[in-house]
Structures are given as structure tokens and as C-alpha cells.
Amino acid sequence: SGALNIGDMPGGGRLTLGFAYGTDPDLDFQTDRTSLSNAYVYTVFYTQPITRDVSLFGGVQYVYRLKETDNSELYQQLTPTLGAVWKF
């Protein structure tokens, strides 16, 4: 896995790009066992400071998971995220 942080964005913001490849544990459908299958995870997040102690962030994570048996596509998932950070 790896991440690239790009600072010096307008207003002191930071753009983060990430990639990870590995196994994704998940309960197999209609069975009582857990499988480990190949998964690719991509992330893009932007953080914008509002004050010295408060920042807002938003981004998206994309997961592409393959079947354990033949590496054909099992599912794709897109997860948006919004949040705030308060340093105290």
C-alpha cells in the first residue's frame, strides 16, 4: 500500500491519494466460513483547515474485490466520507 500527500493547496488544504492491494476477509455468502480474496482499494481525500484546531475533510474510497477461486469480479464498492477533526 502507499499514499501520496500533496500539501500547499489553496487555504492550507491537503490532498491525499492512496492505494492498497491485499486480501479482504469476508464471510462467504450462504456458508459459515470466511474467505480471503484479492482486493484493490483506492482512496482520495481532501482536508481543509477552518481554524487552528478544526479541519473538515471529504473523500471517497473505491474497493474492487475479486473472487477467491478464479479472480473474477465479486463486487465493487464506492464509499463517500465527510467529517471534521477537532484538536484539543
Side-chain angles (χ1 to χ4, degrees), residues 6-15 46-56:
I6 303 169
D8 295 330
M9 302 294 281
R14 182 178 69 212
L15 180 66
Y46 186 78
T47 304
Q48 181 65 52
I50 303 301
T51 68
R52 191 179 76 121
D53 296 327
V54 177
S55 297
L56 299 177

Side-chain angles (χ1 to χ4, degrees), residues 45 52 57 60-61 66 86:
F45 279 90
R52 191 179 76 121
F57 65 89
V60 66
Q61 175 177 288
L66 305 173
W86 175 34

Side-chain angles (χ1 to χ4, degrees), residues 2 18 20 63 73 77 86:
V63 177
E73 179 183 321
Q77 181 179 14
W86 175 34

